[in-house]
PDB file of all heavy atoms in Angstrom:
ATOM      1  N   GLY A   1       0.822  -1.201   0.000  1.00 96.00           N
ATOM      2  CA  GLY A   1       0.000   0.000   0.000  1.00 96.00           C
ATOM      3  C   GLY A   1       0.860   1.257   0.000  1.00 96.00           C
ATOM      4  O   GLY A   1       1.992   1.251   0.481  1.00 96.00           O
ATOM      5  N   GLN A   2       0.333   2.341  -0.571  1.00 96.00           N
ATOM      6  CA  GLN A   2       1.028   3.623  -0.656  1.00 96.00           C
ATOM      7  C   GLN A   2       2.415   3.458  -1.279  1.00 96.00           C
ATOM      8  O   GLN A   2       3.398   4.051  -0.821  1.00 96.00           O
ATOM      9  CB  GLN A   2       1.141   4.278   0.724  1.00 96.00           C
ATOM     10  CG  GLN A   2      -0.198   4.650   1.336  1.00 96.00           C
ATOM     11  CD  GLN A   2      -0.075   5.398   2.639  1.00 96.00           C
ATOM     12  OE1 GLN A   2       0.824   5.129   3.449  1.00 96.00           O
ATOM     13  NE2 GLN A   2      -0.964   6.358   2.872  1.00 96.00           N
ATOM     14  N   CYS A   3       2.483   2.665  -2.326  1.00 98.00           N
ATOM     15  CA  CYS A   3       3.749   2.425  -3.017  1.00 98.00           C
ATOM     16  C   CYS A   3       4.119   3.639  -3.861  1.00 98.00           C
ATOM     17  O   CYS A   3       3.283   4.142  -4.628  1.00 98.00           O
ATOM     18  CB  CYS A   3       3.630   1.185  -3.904  1.00 98.00           C
ATOM     19  SG  CYS A   3       5.093   0.852  -4.914  1.00 98.00           S
ATOM     20  N   PRO A   4       5.360   4.120  -3.776  1.00 98.00           N
ATOM     21  CA  PRO A   4       5.769   5.281  -4.575  1.00 98.00           C
ATOM     22  C   PRO A   4       5.819   4.997  -6.066  1.00 98.00           C
ATOM     23  O   PRO A   4       5.992   5.930  -6.863  1.00 98.00           O
ATOM     24  CB  PRO A   4       7.162   5.613  -4.025  1.00 98.00           C
ATOM     25  CG  PRO A   4       7.642   4.344  -3.409  1.00 98.00           C
ATOM     26  CD  PRO A   4       6.429   3.662  -2.866  1.00 98.00           C
ATOM     27  N   LEU A   5       5.673   3.729  -6.447  1.00 98.00           N
ATOM     28  CA  LEU A   5       5.653   3.356  -7.867  1.00 98.00           C
ATOM     29  C   LEU A   5       4.229   3.219  -8.397  1.00 98.00           C
ATOM     30  O   LEU A   5       4.030   2.792  -9.534  1.00 98.00           O
ATOM     31  CB  LEU A   5       6.420   2.053  -8.084  1.00 98.00           C
ATOM     32  CG  LEU A   5       7.904   2.090  -7.723  1.00 98.00           C
ATOM     33  CD1 LEU A   5       8.526   0.700  -7.851  1.00 98.00           C
ATOM     34  CD2 LEU A   5       8.666   3.087  -8.591  1.00 98.00           C
ATOM     35  N   GLY A   6       3.246   3.540  -7.581  1.00 98.00           N
ATOM     36  CA  GLY A   6       1.857   3.483  -8.023  1.00 98.00           C
ATOM     37  C   GLY A   6       1.132   2.252  -7.523  1.00 98.00           C
ATOM     38  O   GLY A   6       1.600   1.544  -6.632  1.00 98.00           O
ATOM     39  N   THR A   7      -0.012   1.975  -8.134  1.00 98.00           N
ATOM     40  CA  THR A   7      -0.870   0.877  -7.694  1.00 98.00           C
ATOM     41  C   THR A   7      -0.874  -0.302  -8.647  1.00 98.00           C
ATOM     42  O   THR A   7      -1.499  -1.322  -8.342  1.00 98.00           O
ATOM     43  CB  THR A   7      -2.313   1.379  -7.527  1.00 98.00           C
ATOM     44  OG1 THR A   7      -2.777   1.908  -8.788  1.00 98.00           O
ATOM     45  CG2 THR A   7      -2.395   2.468  -6.453  1.00 98.00           C
ATOM     46  N   ASP A   8      -0.205  -0.201  -9.761  1.00 98.00           N
ATOM     47  CA  ASP A   8      -0.178  -1.280 -10.762  1.00 98.00           C
ATOM     48  C   ASP A   8       1.262  -1.722 -10.974  1.00 98.00           C
ATOM     49  O   ASP A   8       2.057  -0.981 -11.563  1.00 98.00           O
ATOM     50  CB  ASP A   8      -0.782  -0.796 -12.078  1.00 98.00           C
ATOM     51  CG  ASP A   8      -0.899  -1.904 -13.110  1.00 98.00           C
ATOM     52  OD1 ASP A   8      -0.373  -3.022 -12.869  1.00 98.00           O
ATOM     53  OD2 ASP A   8      -1.510  -1.662 -14.167  1.00 98.00           O
ATOM     54  N   PRO A   9       1.641  -2.934 -10.528  1.00 98.00           N
ATOM     55  CA  PRO A   9       3.031  -3.382 -10.704  1.00 98.00           C
ATOM     56  C   PRO A   9       3.471  -3.401 -12.159  1.00 98.00           C
ATOM     57  O   PRO A   9       4.660  -3.235 -12.453  1.00 98.00           O
ATOM     58  CB  PRO A   9       3.016  -4.794 -10.107  1.00 98.00           C
ATOM     59  CG  PRO A   9       1.856  -4.819  -9.180  1.00 98.00           C
ATOM     60  CD  PRO A   9       0.827  -3.913  -9.789  1.00 98.00           C
ATOM     61  N   ALA A  10       2.532  -3.587 -13.075  1.00 98.00           N
ATOM     62  CA  ALA A  10       2.884  -3.639 -14.494  1.00 98.00           C
ATOM     63  C   ALA A  10       3.401  -2.294 -15.000  1.00 98.00           C
ATOM     64  O   ALA A  10       4.077  -2.236 -16.032  1.00 98.00           O
ATOM     65  CB  ALA A  10       1.674  -4.082 -15.316  1.00 98.00           C
ATOM     66  N   LEU A  11       3.077  -1.224 -14.285  1.00 98.00           N
ATOM     67  CA  LEU A  11       3.506   0.119 -14.695  1.00 98.00           C
ATOM     68  C   LEU A  11       4.675   0.630 -13.857  1.00 98.00           C
ATOM     69  O   LEU A  11       5.040   1.806 -13.948  1.00 98.00           O
ATOM     70  CB  LEU A  11       2.331   1.089 -14.585  1.00 98.00           C
ATOM     71  CG  LEU A  11       1.101   0.757 -15.437  1.00 98.00           C
ATOM     72  CD1 LEU A  11       0.006   1.784 -15.191  1.00 98.00           C
ATOM     73  CD2 LEU A  11       1.467   0.706 -16.921  1.00 98.00           C
ATOM     74  N   ALA A  12       5.277  -0.245 -13.052  1.00 98.00           N
ATOM     75  CA  ALA A  12       6.338   0.190 -12.136  1.00 98.00           C
ATOM     76  C   ALA A  12       7.578   0.681 -12.869  1.00 98.00           C
ATOM     77  O   ALA A  12       8.231   1.640 -12.425  1.00 98.00           O
ATOM     78  CB  ALA A  12       6.707  -0.951 -11.194  1.00 98.00           C
ATOM     79  N   THR A  13       7.925   0.050 -13.986  1.00 98.00           N
ATOM     80  CA  THR A  13       9.103   0.493 -14.732  1.00 98.00           C
ATOM     81  C   THR A  13       8.910   1.915 -15.249  1.00 98.00           C
ATOM     82  O   THR A  13       9.813   2.761 -15.133  1.00 98.00           O
ATOM     83  CB  THR A  13       9.388  -0.464 -15.901  1.00 98.00           C
ATOM     84  OG1 THR A  13       9.860  -1.718 -15.376  1.00 98.00           O
ATOM     85  CG2 THR A  13      10.454   0.105 -16.835  1.00 98.00           C
ATOM     86  N   THR A  14       7.743   2.197 -15.786  1.00 98.00           N
ATOM     87  CA  THR A  14       7.449   3.553 -16.255  1.00 98.00           C
ATOM     88  C   THR A  14       7.496   4.545 -15.105  1.00 98.00           C
ATOM     89  O   THR A  14       8.043   5.655 -15.228  1.00 98.00           O
ATOM     90  CB  THR A  14       6.066   3.590 -16.933  1.00 98.00           C
ATOM     91  OG1 THR A  14       6.065   2.704 -18.056  1.00 98.00           O
ATOM     92  CG2 THR A  14       5.731   5.000 -17.399  1.00 98.00           C
ATOM     93  N   ALA A  15       6.954   4.140 -13.954  1.00 98.00           N
ATOM     94  CA  ALA A  15       6.968   5.027 -12.788  1.00 98.00           C
ATOM     95  C   ALA A  15       8.396   5.306 -12.330  1.00 98.00           C
ATOM     96  O   ALA A  15       8.733   6.441 -11.946  1.00 98.00           O
ATOM     97  CB  ALA A  15       6.156   4.399 -11.655  1.00 98.00           C
ATOM     98  N   ALA A  16       9.247   4.287 -12.355  1.00 98.00           N
ATOM     99  CA  ALA A  16      10.648   4.491 -11.961  1.00 98.00           C
ATOM    100  C   ALA A  16      11.347   5.447 -12.923  1.00 98.00           C
ATOM    101  O   ALA A  16      12.113   6.320 -12.498  1.00 98.00           O
ATOM    102  CB  ALA A  16      11.372   3.154 -11.917  1.00 98.00           C
ATOM    103  N   GLN A  17      11.097   5.283 -14.218  1.00 97.00           N
ATOM    104  CA  GLN A  17      11.703   6.198 -15.187  1.00 97.00           C
ATOM    105  C   GLN A  17      11.241   7.631 -14.962  1.00 97.00           C
ATOM    106  O   GLN A  17      12.031   8.580 -15.072  1.00 97.00           O
ATOM    107  CB  GLN A  17      11.346   5.747 -16.604  1.00 97.00           C
ATOM    108  CG  GLN A  17      12.030   4.458 -17.038  1.00 97.00           C
ATOM    109  CD  GLN A  17      11.608   4.011 -18.415  1.00 97.00           C
ATOM    110  OE1 GLN A  17      10.547   4.408 -18.917  1.00 97.00           O
ATOM    111  NE2 GLN A  17      12.428   3.186 -19.055  1.00 97.00           N
ATOM    112  N   GLU A  18       9.973   7.806 -14.616  1.00 97.00           N
ATOM    113  CA  GLU A  18       9.458   9.151 -14.371  1.00 97.00           C
ATOM    114  C   GLU A  18      10.103   9.786 -13.143  1.00 97.00           C
ATOM    115  O   GLU A  18      10.268  11.011 -13.077  1.00 97.00           O
ATOM    116  CB  GLU A  18       7.936   9.091 -14.198  1.00 97.00           C
ATOM    117  CG  GLU A  18       7.199   8.757 -15.493  1.00 97.00           C
ATOM    118  CD  GLU A  18       5.702   8.538 -15.281  1.00 97.00           C
ATOM    119  OE1 GLU A  18       5.276   8.474 -14.097  1.00 97.00           O
ATOM    120  OE2 GLU A  18       4.972   8.419 -16.283  1.00 97.00           O
ATOM    121  N   LEU A  19      10.492   8.956 -12.165  1.00 98.00           N
ATOM    122  CA  LEU A  19      11.189   9.458 -10.992  1.00 98.00           C
ATOM    123  C   LEU A  19      12.652   9.764 -11.271  1.00 98.00           C
ATOM    124  O   LEU A  19      13.201  10.752 -10.770  1.00 98.00           O
ATOM    125  CB  LEU A  19      11.106   8.427  -9.861  1.00 98.00           C
ATOM    126  CG  LEU A  19       9.922   8.481  -8.906  1.00 98.00           C
ATOM    127  CD1 LEU A  19       9.978   7.293  -7.947  1.00 98.00           C
ATOM    128  CD2 LEU A  19       9.924   9.795  -8.129  1.00 98.00           C
ATOM    129  N   LEU A  20      13.292   8.920 -12.063  1.00 98.00           N
ATOM    130  CA  LEU A  20      14.740   8.991 -12.217  1.00 98.00           C
ATOM    131  C   LEU A  20      15.197   9.881 -13.368  1.00 98.00           C
ATOM    132  O   LEU A  20      16.200  10.591 -13.237  1.00 98.00           O
ATOM    133  CB  LEU A  20      15.308   7.581 -12.428  1.00 98.00           C
ATOM    134  CG  LEU A  20      15.164   6.601 -11.264  1.00 98.00           C
ATOM    135  CD1 LEU A  20      15.682   5.226 -11.665  1.00 98.00           C
ATOM    136  CD2 LEU A  20      15.921   7.107 -10.044  1.00 98.00           C
ATOM    137  N   ARG A  21      14.510   9.840 -14.486  1.00 98.00           N
ATOM    138  CA  ARG A  21      15.027  10.540 -15.661  1.00 98.00           C
ATOM    139  C   ARG A  21      15.165  12.050 -15.494  1.00 98.00           C
ATOM    140  O   ARG A  21      16.092  12.646 -16.045  1.00 98.00           O
ATOM    141  CB  ARG A  21      14.166  10.208 -16.890  1.00 98.00           C
ATOM    142  CG  ARG A  21      14.457   8.832 -17.450  1.00 98.00           C
ATOM    143  CD  ARG A  21      13.765   8.620 -18.782  1.00 98.00           C
ATOM    144  NE  ARG A  21      14.144   7.341 -19.385  1.00 98.00           N
ATOM    145  CZ  ARG A  21      13.742   6.932 -20.584  1.00 98.00           C
ATOM    146  NH1 ARG A  21      12.939   7.716 -21.300  1.00 98.00           N
ATOM    147  NH2 ARG A  21      14.136   5.773 -21.054  1.00 98.00           N
ATOM    148  N   PRO A  22      14.294  12.720 -14.742  1.00 98.00           N
ATOM    149  CA  PRO A  22      14.505  14.167 -14.548  1.00 98.00           C
ATOM    150  C   PRO A  22      15.840  14.492 -13.884  1.00 98.00           C
ATOM    151  O   PRO A  22      16.367  15.608 -14.058  1.00 98.00           O
ATOM    152  CB  PRO A  22      13.327  14.564 -13.646  1.00 98.00           C
ATOM    153  CG  PRO A  22      12.260  13.575 -13.971  1.00 98.00           C
ATOM    154  CD  PRO A  22      12.987  12.287 -14.191  1.00 98.00           C
ATOM    155  N   LEU A  23      16.405  13.513 -13.154  1.00 97.00           N
ATOM    156  CA  LEU A  23      17.673  13.756 -12.477  1.00 97.00           C
ATOM    157  C   LEU A  23      18.853  13.794 -13.443  1.00 97.00           C
ATOM    158  O   LEU A  23      19.945  14.213 -13.059  1.00 97.00           O
ATOM    159  CB  LEU A  23      17.919  12.666 -11.429  1.00 97.00           C
ATOM    160  CG  LEU A  23      16.850  12.525 -10.337  1.00 97.00           C
ATOM    161  CD1 LEU A  23      17.186  11.369  -9.413  1.00 97.00           C
ATOM    162  CD2 LEU A  23      16.726  13.826  -9.554  1.00 97.00           C
ATOM    163  N   VAL A  24      18.660  13.347 -14.682  1.00 95.00           N
ATOM    164  CA  VAL A  24      19.739  13.422 -15.675  1.00 95.00           C
ATOM    165  C   VAL A  24      20.146  14.876 -15.891  1.00 95.00           C
ATOM    166  O   VAL A  24      21.333  15.217 -15.911  1.00 95.00           O
ATOM    167  CB  VAL A  24      19.299  12.787 -17.009  1.00 95.00           C
ATOM    168  CG1 VAL A  24      20.356  13.024 -18.087  1.00 95.00           C
ATOM    169  CG2 VAL A  24      19.060  11.291 -16.831  1.00 95.00           C
ATOM    170  N   ASP A  25      19.145  15.748 -16.035  1.00 96.00           N
ATOM    171  CA  ASP A  25      19.420  17.157 -16.316  1.00 96.00           C
ATOM    172  C   ASP A  25      19.270  18.055 -15.090  1.00 96.00           C
ATOM    173  O   ASP A  25      19.861  19.138 -15.039  1.00 96.00           O
ATOM    174  CB  ASP A  25      18.478  17.655 -17.417  1.00 96.00           C
ATOM    175  CG  ASP A  25      18.699  16.934 -18.742  1.00 96.00           C
ATOM    176  OD1 ASP A  25      19.876  16.721 -19.109  1.00 96.00           O
ATOM    177  OD2 ASP A  25      17.696  16.574 -19.384  1.00 96.00           O
ATOM    178  N   GLU A  26      18.512  17.614 -14.102  1.00 97.00           N
ATOM    179  CA  GLU A  26      18.269  18.443 -12.924  1.00 97.00           C
ATOM    180  C   GLU A  26      18.456  17.608 -11.658  1.00 97.00           C
ATOM    181  O   GLU A  26      17.473  17.160 -11.042  1.00 97.00           O
ATOM    182  CB  GLU A  26      16.858  19.039 -12.968  1.00 97.00           C
ATOM    183  CG  GLU A  26      16.639  19.980 -14.143  1.00 97.00           C
ATOM    184  CD  GLU A  26      15.244  20.578 -14.147  1.00 97.00           C
ATOM    185  OE1 GLU A  26      14.513  20.377 -13.145  1.00 97.00           O
ATOM    186  OE2 GLU A  26      14.878  21.239 -15.120  1.00 97.00           O
ATOM    187  N   PRO A  27      19.689  17.397 -11.247  1.00 97.00           N
ATOM    188  CA  PRO A  27      19.935  16.611 -10.020  1.00 97.00           C
ATOM    189  C   PRO A  27      19.340  17.298  -8.800  1.00 97.00           C
ATOM    190  O   PRO A  27      19.208  18.527  -8.759  1.00 97.00           O
ATOM    191  CB  PRO A  27      21.464  16.562  -9.938  1.00 97.00           C
ATOM    192  CG  PRO A  27      21.953  16.913 -11.306  1.00 97.00           C
ATOM    193  CD  PRO A  27      20.936  17.844 -11.885  1.00 97.00           C
ATOM    194  N   LEU A  28      18.994  16.495  -7.807  1.00 98.00           N
ATOM    195  CA  LEU A  28      18.596  17.031  -6.515  1.00 98.00           C
ATOM    196  C   LEU A  28      19.851  17.256  -5.674  1.00 98.00           C
ATOM    197  O   LEU A  28      20.889  16.632  -5.911  1.00 98.00           O
ATOM    198  CB  LEU A  28      17.659  16.069  -5.799  1.00 98.00           C
ATOM    199  CG  LEU A  28      16.278  15.859  -6.444  1.00 98.00           C
ATOM    200  CD1 LEU A  28      15.518  14.757  -5.718  1.00 98.00           C
ATOM    201  CD2 LEU A  28      15.476  17.157  -6.433  1.00 98.00           C
ATOM    202  N   VAL A  29      19.756  18.116  -4.705  1.00 97.00           N
ATOM    203  CA  VAL A  29      20.887  18.402  -3.828  1.00 97.00           C
ATOM    204  C   VAL A  29      20.563  17.858  -2.447  1.00 97.00           C
ATOM    205  O   VAL A  29      19.543  18.203  -1.844  1.00 97.00           O
ATOM    206  CB  VAL A  29      21.184  19.912  -3.754  1.00 97.00           C
ATOM    207  CG1 VAL A  29      22.352  20.166  -2.807  1.00 97.00           C
ATOM    208  CG2 VAL A  29      21.494  20.458  -5.146  1.00 97.00           C
ATOM    209  N   ALA A  30      21.429  16.983  -1.957  1.00 97.00           N
ATOM    210  CA  ALA A  30      21.235  16.376  -0.639  1.00 97.00           C
ATOM    211  C   ALA A  30      21.625  17.362   0.461  1.00 97.00           C
ATOM    212  O   ALA A  30      22.254  18.396   0.205  1.00 97.00           O
ATOM    213  CB  ALA A  30      22.071  15.098  -0.529  1.00 97.00           C
ATOM    214  N   ALA A  31      21.302  17.012   1.685  1.00 97.00           N
ATOM    215  CA  ALA A  31      21.559  17.898   2.820  1.00 97.00           C
ATOM    216  C   ALA A  31      23.041  18.183   3.003  1.00 97.00           C
ATOM    217  O   ALA A  31      23.420  19.252   3.509  1.00 97.00           O
ATOM    218  CB  ALA A  31      20.981  17.290   4.096  1.00 97.00           C
ATOM    219  N   ASP A  32      23.902  17.236   2.566  1.00 96.00           N
ATOM    220  CA  ASP A  32      25.342  17.456   2.716  1.00 96.00           C
ATOM    221  C   ASP A  32      25.943  18.209   1.539  1.00 96.00           C
ATOM    222  O   ASP A  32      27.160  18.373   1.457  1.00 96.00           O
ATOM    223  CB  ASP A  32      26.073  16.118   2.915  1.00 96.00           C
ATOM    224  CG  ASP A  32      25.969  15.187   1.715  1.00 96.00           C
ATOM    225  OD1 ASP A  32      25.348  15.573   0.692  1.00 96.00           O
ATOM    226  OD2 ASP A  32      26.519  14.071   1.789  1.00 96.00           O
ATOM    227  N   GLY A  33      25.080  18.678   0.603  1.00 97.00           N
ATOM    228  CA  GLY A  33      25.545  19.473  -0.522  1.00 97.00           C
ATOM    229  C   GLY A  33      25.863  18.676  -1.769  1.00 97.00           C
ATOM    230  O   GLY A  33      26.126  19.268  -2.832  1.00 97.00           O
ATOM    231  N   ARG A  34      25.835  17.357  -1.700  1.00 97.00           N
ATOM    232  CA  ARG A  34      26.130  16.549  -2.881  1.00 97.00           C
ATOM    233  C   ARG A  34      24.949  16.517  -3.838  1.00 97.00           C
ATOM    234  O   ARG A  34      23.793  16.437  -3.413  1.00 97.00           O
ATOM    235  CB  ARG A  34      26.489  15.116  -2.481  1.00 97.00           C
ATOM    236  CG  ARG A  34      27.877  14.971  -1.896  1.00 97.00           C
ATOM    237  CD  ARG A  34      28.225  13.501  -1.731  1.00 97.00           C
ATOM    238  NE  ARG A  34      27.506  12.880  -0.626  1.00 97.00           N
ATOM    239  CZ  ARG A  34      27.354  11.572  -0.480  1.00 97.00           C
ATOM    240  NH1 ARG A  34      27.834  10.745  -1.404  1.00 97.00           N
ATOM    241  NH2 ARG A  34      26.718  11.090   0.570  1.00 97.00           N
ATOM    242  N   GLU A  35      25.254  16.538  -5.123  1.00 96.00           N
ATOM    243  CA  GLU A  35      24.219  16.379  -6.128  1.00 96.00           C
ATOM    244  C   GLU A  35      23.846  14.914  -6.265  1.00 96.00           C
ATOM    245  O   GLU A  35      24.721  14.045  -6.317  1.00 96.00           O
ATOM    246  CB  GLU A  35      24.686  16.911  -7.486  1.00 96.00           C
ATOM    247  CG  GLU A  35      24.771  18.418  -7.569  1.00 96.00           C
ATOM    248  CD  GLU A  35      24.961  18.900  -9.006  1.00 96.00           C
ATOM    249  OE1 GLU A  35      25.328  18.065  -9.864  1.00 96.00           O
ATOM    250  OE2 GLU A  35      24.734  20.089  -9.261  1.00 96.00           O
ATOM    251  N   VAL A  36      22.551  14.649  -6.294  1.00 97.00           N
ATOM    252  CA  VAL A  36      22.056  13.283  -6.483  1.00 97.00           C
ATOM    253  C   VAL A  36      21.516  13.185  -7.903  1.00 97.00           C
ATOM    254  O   VAL A  36      20.444  13.703  -8.225  1.00 97.00           O
ATOM    255  CB  VAL A  36      20.976  12.934  -5.445  1.00 97.00           C
ATOM    256  CG1 VAL A  36      20.466  11.514  -5.683  1.00 97.00           C
ATOM    257  CG2 VAL A  36      21.550  13.065  -4.041  1.00 97.00           C
ATOM    258  N   THR A  37      22.304  12.540  -8.736  1.00 96.00           N
ATOM    259  CA  THR A  37      21.996  12.417 -10.152  1.00 96.00           C
ATOM    260  C   THR A  37      21.186  11.153 -10.426  1.00 96.00           C
ATOM    261  O   THR A  37      20.893  10.359  -9.524  1.00 96.00           O
ATOM    262  CB  THR A  37      23.304  12.343 -10.945  1.00 96.00           C
ATOM    263  OG1 THR A  37      24.012  11.151 -10.537  1.00 96.00           O
ATOM    264  CG2 THR A  37      24.173  13.566 -10.686  1.00 96.00           C
ATOM    265  N   PHE A  38      20.836  10.971 -11.692  1.00 96.00           N
ATOM    266  CA  PHE A  38      20.218   9.708 -12.117  1.00 96.00           C
ATOM    267  C   PHE A  38      21.067   8.528 -11.665  1.00 96.00           C
ATOM    268  O   PHE A  38      20.547   7.539 -11.135  1.00 96.00           O
ATOM    269  CB  PHE A  38      20.093   9.713 -13.647  1.00 96.00           C
ATOM    270  CG  PHE A  38      19.509   8.451 -14.227  1.00 96.00           C
ATOM    271  CD1 PHE A  38      18.171   8.393 -14.588  1.00 96.00           C
ATOM    272  CD2 PHE A  38      20.282   7.312 -14.417  1.00 96.00           C
ATOM    273  CE1 PHE A  38      17.625   7.230 -15.128  1.00 96.00           C
ATOM    274  CE2 PHE A  38      19.751   6.150 -14.945  1.00 96.00           C
ATOM    275  CZ  PHE A  38      18.413   6.111 -15.296  1.00 96.00           C
ATOM    276  N   LEU A  39      22.364   8.642 -11.849  1.00 95.00           N
ATOM    277  CA  LEU A  39      23.261   7.543 -11.502  1.00 95.00           C
ATOM    278  C   LEU A  39      23.206   7.222 -10.016  1.00 95.00           C
ATOM    279  O   LEU A  39      23.058   6.063  -9.618  1.00 95.00           O
ATOM    280  CB  LEU A  39      24.695   7.887 -11.895  1.00 95.00           C
ATOM    281  CG  LEU A  39      24.998   7.956 -13.377  1.00 95.00           C
ATOM    282  CD1 LEU A  39      26.415   8.490 -13.590  1.00 95.00           C
ATOM    283  CD2 LEU A  39      24.858   6.585 -14.017  1.00 95.00           C
ATOM    284  N   ALA A  40      23.325   8.232  -9.170  1.00 96.00           N
ATOM    285  CA  ALA A  40      23.357   8.001  -7.731  1.00 96.00           C
ATOM    286  C   ALA A  40      22.048   7.399  -7.238  1.00 96.00           C
ATOM    287  O   ALA A  40      22.041   6.466  -6.414  1.00 96.00           O
ATOM    288  CB  ALA A  40      23.663   9.302  -7.000  1.00 96.00           C
ATOM    289  N   ALA A  41      20.919   7.921  -7.717  1.00 97.00           N
ATOM    290  CA  ALA A  41      19.628   7.387  -7.295  1.00 97.00           C
ATOM    291  C   ALA A  41      19.447   5.950  -7.779  1.00 97.00           C
ATOM    292  O   ALA A  41      18.956   5.084  -7.034  1.00 97.00           O
ATOM    293  CB  ALA A  41      18.499   8.273  -7.817  1.00 97.00           C
TER     294      ALA A  41
END
């Protein structure tokens, strides 16, 4: 329940790509200042 990949396991790969691919061009910044890229995630 409350899975971050949605409610349909068949769509989990698409959901993961939607979470990860934006990090290719726009990494998140962690509390310690490091950039979290697609690779790191």
Side-chain angles (χ1 to χ4, degrees):
Q2 296 185 324
C3 176
L5 298 174
T7 59
D8 185 352
L11 300 178
T13 290
T14 299
Q17 290 177 339
E18 291 173 351
L19 271 175
L20 295 176
R21 283 189 175 184
L23 301 177
V24 173
D25 297 318
E26 297 181 8
L28 293 173
V29 179
D32 64 1
R34 285 189 287 162
E35 288 192 344
V36 179
T37 63
F38 178 99
L39 291 172

